[in-house]
Amino acid sequence: MNYNPLAEQANAELSANGCSVFSMLSEQGKAIFFPRKGILGQGAEAKGSEINATIGTALEDDGSPLVLDCVLKSLNLPKNAFLYAPSFGNPDLRKMWKEQILRKNPSLATKEFSNPVVSCALTHAISCAGYMFLDKGDEVIIPDLYWDNYELVFENSRGAKIKTFNTFKNGGFDTEALKAALAQSKAEKKVVLLNFPNNPTGYTATEKEAVEIAKILTECAAAGSKVVVLLDDAYFGLVYEDGVTKESLFAKLVDAHENLLAVKLDGPTKEDYVWGFRVGFMSFGFKGATAAQLKALEDKAAGTVRGNISNAPSISQKILLAAYQSPEYLKEKEEKYNTLKKRYDIIKQVLAAHPEYNEAFEPMPCNSGYFMCVKPLGVDAEELRQTLIKDYSTGTIMLSGLIRVAFSAVPTEKLPKLFENIYNAVKKLQA
């Protein structure tokens, strides 16, 4: 297949010196490039010119953006927030986010990985990863308790096939099931998606489990498979128990093996409580990666963004950058974390105080995030969900035969009532 010369250049980097990343790309991933010679590149070359008639924005005669006053007065932002952001993302925000990744994952300090590329929130980052690494018919190996939007992103949009493995065993993550799923896959390229804290269960691997997961994936790569690990870190940092890994698996996988590409998909949506801002990030790393190879992956990611949405919202990026530069940021973030941690602790107390609830439902393992799940006993989960709405004015989500509870959205004082309602609804249906 003939590729654009810019794609050829990136592909050559990703094949150089025995690098196997080129073979991990989808056909679209191989073909995608960042259009440095097009409108964006020509506009960049003209930056600083006395007369600049390149980019399709509208400016006042003084050079500031044309902005409606009725729009401007509702935002305490400079006018330049209304301009396009680069397809790679606001450069200052990218730098700041990488610094945060390093702060939150100290073991990455001596390891090399790409600069983050900005997407339009984390779902878009996952979609971009699918574009770059999945062809029609490719498998995505995922725990069987997963966010249902993966089906739209991977199966409906990419034509890939989700292959699941058992999530829990003996109250923890089923690492043996992951190993078996990798062994059973006949594909030379194995794409694995792991989501911690997990949606829907609110479970994060323990440190021991994280070590074992990294070992299993590394051994698979060492055996000759090309392994792409997509890490959905949407709820990163919201861990409520000791012994649970505090770092992303990215830190353990980014330099694990030449045949293993780690792709970190994260963002402020959940961990910084800005759900409507729609800003996410994509970062890449593999053992032995050169600066040029990491840049090639950044270019392909930015080209994917450019070819889909052009760029993520500039206003959101400006606001986030200001927040991250604020001296109050870390303190305020800890306060919000403590709100969620308190709710988690209350749930544990409620369940411990009511052993009779074990007659109605089984709590699934949970130690982090926004959610927890219960498995109803002897009744249909969907019927239970509908009964909770109709008879108890209580809304929950049914996924994979479980009832998902978003304790993040429930006022603290109503948590005991929530579980009392679930118990009573199950007992009613059992009767």
Side-chain angles (χ1 to χ4, degrees):
M1 181 176 178
N2 293 324
Y3 300 116
N4 180 281
L6 291 171
E8 291 279 16
Q9 182 180 342
N11 293 343
E13 288 290 354
L14 296 174
S15 304
N17 302 319
C19 179
S20 59
V21 172
F22 173 74
S23 64
M24 301 181 192
L25 296 168
S26 66
E27 283 306 312
Q28 286 180 308
K30 293 171 183 174
I32 198 63
F33 60 95
F34 188 74
R36 297 187 180 282
K37 306 291 186 184
I39 290 174
L40 298 180
Q42 295 173 45
E45 290 176 0
K47 190 175 182 180
S49 298
E50 178 185 357
I51 298 174
N52 188 353
T54 57
I55 302 299
T57 55
L59 305 178
E60 300 279 8
D61 287 339
D62 64 2
S64 65
L66 271 170
V67 178
L68 300 179
D69 285 342
C70 61
V71 175
L72 184 61
K73 70 181 182 183
S74 67
L75 293 168
N76 184 28
L77 288 172
K79 277 190 173 183
N80 64 7
F82 292 83
L83 297 173
Y84 291 122
S87 294
F88 287 86
N90 180 305
D92 293 331
L93 180 63
R94 295 175 68 203
K95 180 175 182 288
M96 179 68 75
W97 190 258
K98 186 167 186 177
E99 289 173 359
Q100 289 204 48
I101 290 176
L102 290 167
R103 175 178 58 79
K104 293 180 283 191
N105 299 270
S107 65
L108 277 171
T110 59
K111 302 181 181 184
E112 297 296 327
F113 62 100
S114 74
N115 291 312
V117 173
V118 178
S119 62
C120 193
L122 212 141
T123 301
H124 183 234
I126 297 168
S127 179
C128 288
Y131 183 103
M132 291 176 65
F133 299 108
L134 290 170
D135 286 310
K136 185 175 182 180
D138 283 352
E139 289 181 348
V140 189
I141 299 171
I142 301 177
D144 62 359
L145 298 178
Y146 62 84
W147 183 42
D148 63 353
N149 204 18
Y150 293 151
E151 295 169 6
L152 291 179
V153 173
F154 296 130
E155 294 187 330
N156 294 78
S157 297
R158 304 300 315 151
K161 299 176 182 177
I162 290 177
K163 179 182 178 181
T164 63
F165 62 90
N166 187 55
T167 304
F168 292 129
K169 181 180 180 180
N170 299 327
F173 189 79
D174 193 344
T175 55
E176 293 178 2
L178 169 61
K179 186 173 184 177
L182 289 166
Q184 291 163 9
S185 172
K186 304 303 182 187
E188 181 183 353
K189 178 179 73 177
K190 304 187 195 303
V191 180
V192 180
L193 185 145
L194 296 171
N195 166 218
F196 295 127
N198 174 266
N199 177 1
T201 67
Y203 186 83
T204 294
T206 65
E207 184 57 35
K208 183 179 178 180
E209 289 166 347
V211 169
E212 182 63 18
I213 291 168
K215 179 185 175 190
I216 289 167
L217 293 168
T218 304
E219 288 176 347
C220 183
S225 293
K226 306 297 188 291
V227 182
V228 180
V229 186
L230 308 180
L231 300 165
D232 177 351
D233 287 350
Y235 300 86
F236 181 81
L238 297 170
V239 169
Y240 310 129
E241 295 282 1
D242 294 333
V244 178
T245 183
K246 298 292 196 297
E247 294 195 3
S248 168
L249 279 171
F250 187 72
K252 288 181 168 61
L253 297 175
V254 73
D255 62 346
H257 198 276
E258 293 85 353
N259 286 341
L260 192 157
L261 174 66
V263 184
K264 191 177 195 306
L265 309 168
D266 56 19
T269 301
K270 303 298 198 307
E271 61 172 286
D272 289 325
Y273 317 106
V274 288
W275 308 276
F277 275 30
R278 315 317 295 150
V279 172
F281 298 90
M282 298 175 278
S283 305
F284 307 90
F286 60 97
K287 187 176 182 178
T290 66
Q293 288 166 341
L294 294 175
K295 187 66 173 65
L297 285 168
E298 291 175 37
D299 283 358
K300 285 187 175 288
T304 303
V305 172
R306 171 70 175 166
N308 281 269
I309 61 165
S310 191
N311 49 265
S314 178
I315 286 178
S316 300
Q317 295 182 62
K318 289 281 188 181
I319 296 172
L320 284 167
L321 181 60
Y324 296 151
Q325 292 170 335
S326 167
E328 291 84 22
Y329 167 68
L330 290 176
K331 176 177 177 290
E332 292 177 1
K333 183 167 181 172
E334 184 178 8
E335 290 172 354
K336 303 307 178 188
Y337 165 87
N338 287 336
T339 296
L340 297 180
K341 172 70 161 60
K342 180 179 179 181
R343 292 178 186 168
Y344 170 83
D345 290 339
I346 286 175
I347 290 171
K348 286 180 61 181
Q349 293 166 14
V350 167
L351 296 177
H354 293 277
E356 72 274 16
Y357 287 179
N358 294 327
E359 302 168 5
F361 57 80
E362 176 189 353
M364 293 289 98
C366 171
N367 54 29
S368 53
Y370 276 32
F371 310 111
M372 73 161 297
C373 288
V374 299
K375 180 179 181 180
L377 302 178
V379 303
D380 179 75
E382 173 59 15
E383 187 177 4
L384 173 59
R385 183 189 71 83
Q386 294 182 15
T387 299
L388 281 166
I389 292 175
K390 177 173 171 286
D391 297 340
Y392 297 88
S393 190
T394 299
T396 58
I397 295 292
M398 191 284 291
L399 288 169
S400 302
L402 303 177
I403 292 295
R404 189 191 78 176
V405 173
F407 61 82
S408 59
V410 179
T412 306
E413 71 274 8
K414 292 187 179 181
L415 287 168
K417 184 66 173 177
L418 165 64
F419 287 92
E420 180 184 348
N421 288 350
I422 295 173
Y423 170 76
N424 288 332
V426 171
K427 297 301 285 185
K428 181 177 182 179
L429 290 173
Q430 285 176 342

